[in-house]
Amino acid sequence: MNWSAPLGDSEAVVINTPTAAALFQDIERRFDASTGFTVATLNLDHVVKLRRDPAFRAAYSGHTHVVADGNPVVWLARLAGQHDVRLAPGSELVVPVAGRAARHGIPVALFGSTPDSLEDAAIQLREQFPDLQVACCLSPPMGFDPAGPAADEAIERLQASGARLVFLALGAPKQEIFAARAAKAMPEAGFMSVGAGLDFLSGRQVRAPKLVRRFAAEWLWRLLGNSDRLFGRYMSCFAILPGLTLAALQSRGTQRRETGA
């Protein structure tokens, strides 16, 4: 049984890929079969935005893989009875998936962020995987509309590059909306929404130390470093936690009744 975060009006978003290992295995299978995919990384901020934004919900619903990109999401899934869910942050998926792309001869593209950050991220990836083909680094202008003409132009450039794996660093909901649109035009390509993953790789942003992450306090570390931007976002996340917790407990109870456990 896959845990789902309720969005209202009988809609929900489902964690359908419980671990990074399961994701990597299926991605490699799709590389071999020339089958495309779209990967979304669910966290509480996404749940807040999904409840408010119909276009975001529509894009998310079409993604082939949804993983848990936040400890609260993992805890809620386990509370609901989905004990196999493990944390799989988008920022930690870039390097292992790029390594698999290199082994399979899959050209990659880096899309989003800034030109300098993308170039530095490409250098880092090539240093780790000399066989990796970085087909394209494309940074859209400020105000990029993932559903507008600029998105069509970007898709054309990605198609022309020959890329079959695209790392998207546009932030939510732009990256997921773009992924859903681009996947229709490039059915053999994979699209992974990785947020700040490329900026972490390039060094343009610094991630919380491992010890902070081990204690599930990365959110606090980020808040202290950028309270003006993140305070409102985190308050919105905290506000939905009680309802999500109740829904998880109800889901667990339903599952037990159905299985007779």
Side-chain angles (χ1 to χ4, degrees), residues 55-67:
F56 193 22
R57 290 199 299 274
Y60 234 88
S61 67
H63 276 58
T64 58
H65 302 78
V66 178
V67 298

Side-chain angles (χ1 to χ4, degrees), residues 148-227:
D152 293 330
E153 295 175 8
I155 292 170
E156 290 177 2
R157 292 183 63 178
L158 291 171
Q159 287 176 309
S161 76
R164 282 189 50 210
L165 170 64
V166 183
F167 291 110
L168 299 171
L170 296 167
K174 287 185 177 182
Q175 58 195 9
E176 291 82 7
I177 292 174
F178 180 80
R181 183 170 185 169
K184 294 178 182 178
M186 301 172 63
E188 295 185 356
F191 294 85
M192 294 189 63
S193 296
V194 297
L198 299 181
D199 285 344
F200 288 145
L201 188 61
S202 70
R204 302 287 165 155
Q205 291 192 46
V206 179
R207 198 173 177 198
K210 289 184 179 180
L211 183 62
V212 173
R213 284 179 265 155
R214 181 178 299 175
F215 287 96
E218 185 171 12
W219 68 272
L220 180 59
W221 189 86
R222 295 182 63 197
L223 178 61
L224 293 174
N226 196 347
S227 59

Side-chain angles (χ1 to χ4, degrees), residues 25-37 104 106 164 187-189:
Q25 182 178 24
D26 195 54
I27 283 177
E28 291 198 75
R29 180 185 67 80
R30 289 170 181 264
F31 282 162
D32 289 337
S34 297
T35 303
F37 57 89
H104 287 260
I106 302 295
R164 282 189 50 210
E188 295 185 356

